[in-house]
Amino acid sequence: MSKLFSIGELLIDFQSVGTGGLKETKQFIKNAGGAPANVCVQAVKLGQKAVYLTKVGNDGFGDFLIETLKNEGVDVTFISKSDKYDTSLAFVSFKDGGEREFSFYRKAAADLHFTEEDFKDVEFTAGDILEFGSVALKTEQAKAAHKALIERAEKSGAVICFDPNLRFNLWESKTELKAVVNEFSAYADVIKVGCDELEFLTDLPAEDAVKTCFKGNLKMLLVTDGGKGAKLYLADGRKFICNGYKVKTVDTTGAGDSFFGGIIAQIMQEKLVPATLVNGTTDYKKILDFACKCGAYTTAGYGAIPAMGNKDNIDKAVK
């Protein structure tokens, strides 16, 4: 059975109790977070095997994160602990409608300082997935670790999946962030991006930007638009649209990650590899619709991982 390998940040989400800004919030609830980790958990809940690759601080927060992923069924063999660096923290407050305000504490984050050596025993096979984002691409050694894994995954016939997941307040400049994302986009077979992110990265309206994206290895582009749904584009020019699903939204945390986890789980279920990602038999509309259901379902609960569902939960609740 193929496996999903996700690499990137693993952090504590301290989420506000009630609505308001960070300035006004007095109480927070602790949850496990980090976009690639959320993707891993959603894929596991949908019946796939997943492995997480990262580093945390040698502290209680790191222990909590490892234990949480392990309890969710994620393989934590390649999560190491650092005595030198800290576990990442994020504080999140909610506004009416589920929109969020973030403050990150990760200048000395362990998940910015993993190396290729930390993952030397990771083995890929054809049909596996390697998924990552941009948040953990801040240091040269972390970028080198990503590139080494991408090269090994490509040689093994794995599918490379990238979610830029832009967090502007984590970078010294938007120019630096754009350069890093464009560099790593060239490696990806599948990219998931928000329509506003796509416009930022290309300096074009989203529909025009799509035409410029299919270069390098890209075979499938997923463009999300919050509650308005998402679009799936293929390298052969086909386009599929889902207008989203109506749910009572309380927290949008992890919705995009659930969506991407839903896409990846179905790619694995269909046993697609880079050479067969674009074909004439796969029901791409069905794949897109179910992924949108995954994202919608997650917004009906608080937190990312605690709010995710399995296929039966999602199909019954989101119609």
Side-chain angles (χ1 to χ4, degrees):
M1 184 176 180
S2 59
K3 294 180 181 180
L4 163 63
F5 294 84
S6 286
I7 178 173
E9 70 276 12
L10 184 58
L11 51 85
I12 302 288
D13 271 336
F14 284 104
Q15 297 173 317
S16 66
V17 176
T19 58
L22 287 173
K23 180 181 178 181
E24 294 79 26
T25 301
K26 295 182 178 180
Q27 290 181 294
F28 295 86
I29 295 174
K30 179 180 70 176
N31 281 311
N38 296 338
V39 171
C40 255
V41 172
Q42 183 63 84
V44 169
K45 287 181 178 292
L46 296 175
Q48 303 303 320
K49 292 185 177 181
V51 184
Y52 204 62
L53 314 174
T54 194
K55 182 173 283 188
V56 295
N58 188 13
D59 51 40
F61 289 142
D63 292 340
F64 168 77
L65 291 168
I66 293 171
E67 184 177 310
T68 298
L69 291 191
K70 186 175 181 180
N71 289 342
E72 291 291 346
V74 175
D75 186 335
V76 298
T77 302
F78 297 103
I79 302 179
S80 57
K81 295 181 179 180
S82 170
D83 291 320
K84 184 176 180 181
Y85 298 104
D86 303 322
T87 300
S88 295
L89 307 178
F91 289 81
V92 189
S93 66
F94 303 107
K95 301 177 183 178
D96 292 335
E99 291 306 311
R100 300 160 292 165
E101 178 186 352
F102 288 93
S103 185
F104 292 95
Y105 293 81
R106 49 182 285 107
K107 290 182 179 178
D111 56 40
L112 291 174
H113 294 90
F114 49 65
T115 67
E116 180 181 351
E117 182 68 15
D118 291 314
F119 310 125
K120 61 181 173 56
D121 294 326
V122 173
E123 296 183 358
F124 298 101
T125 59
D128 286 342
I129 305 279
L130 176 63
E131 183 266 342
F132 64 101
S134 70
V135 171
L137 294 173
K138 276 280 295 174
T139 62
E140 291 304 318
Q141 64 193 57
K143 285 193 285 187
H146 278 75
K147 288 179 180 179
L149 284 167
I150 290 168
E151 182 178 355
R152 285 159 50 196
E154 284 181 332
K155 287 181 178 178
S156 300
V159 177
I160 311 300
C161 298
F162 182 36
D163 173 8
N165 190 32
L166 305 183
R167 293 289 181 262
F168 296 114
N169 56 343
L170 293 178
W171 295 78
E172 281 66 37
S173 74
K174 291 183 178 181
T175 301
E176 179 190 7
L177 173 57
K178 183 183 288 190
V180 169
V181 169
N182 286 331
E183 177 186 359
F184 279 84
S185 293
Y187 302 120
D189 298 298
V190 180
I191 292 176
K192 191 276 283 186
V193 63
C195 60
D196 55 338
E197 294 178 320
L198 184 58
E199 290 174 1
F200 164 77
L201 292 169
T202 62
D203 297 313
L204 292 168
E207 283 298 327
D208 294 334
V210 168
K211 302 170 187 176
T212 71
C213 292
F214 284 95
K215 53 192 175 185
N217 296 331
L218 188 64
K219 301 164 185 68
M220 181 187 296
L221 176 67
L222 302 147
V223 181
T224 61
D225 194 10
K228 296 178 182 178
K231 297 174 182 177
L232 186 158
Y233 300 86
L234 296 174
D236 64 4
R238 283 181 288 168
K239 171 184 174 181
F240 304 86
I241 300 173
C242 175
N243 292 319
Y245 294 89
K246 299 296 183 183
V247 297
K248 186 177 179 180
T249 296
V250 297
D251 175 13
T252 58
T253 303
D257 306 330
S258 293
F259 171 88
F260 206 26
I263 291 287
I264 287 171
Q266 292 176 95
I267 288 174
M268 297 171 74
Q269 184 177 321
E270 294 285 328
K271 296 181 171 57
L272 300 179
V273 296
T276 62
L277 266 173
V278 180
N279 62 69
T281 58
T282 295
D283 189 341
Y284 296 100
K285 182 65 166 64
K286 183 178 179 181
I287 287 176
L288 179 64
D289 286 351
F290 181 70
C292 285
K293 284 186 176 183
C294 292
Y297 183 91
T298 300
T299 70
Y302 286 101
I305 291 173
M308 291 177 180
N310 60 32
K311 189 175 188 307
D312 288 341
N313 297 148
I314 293 165
D315 280 335
K316 288 177 182 177
V318 185
K319 296 180 180 179

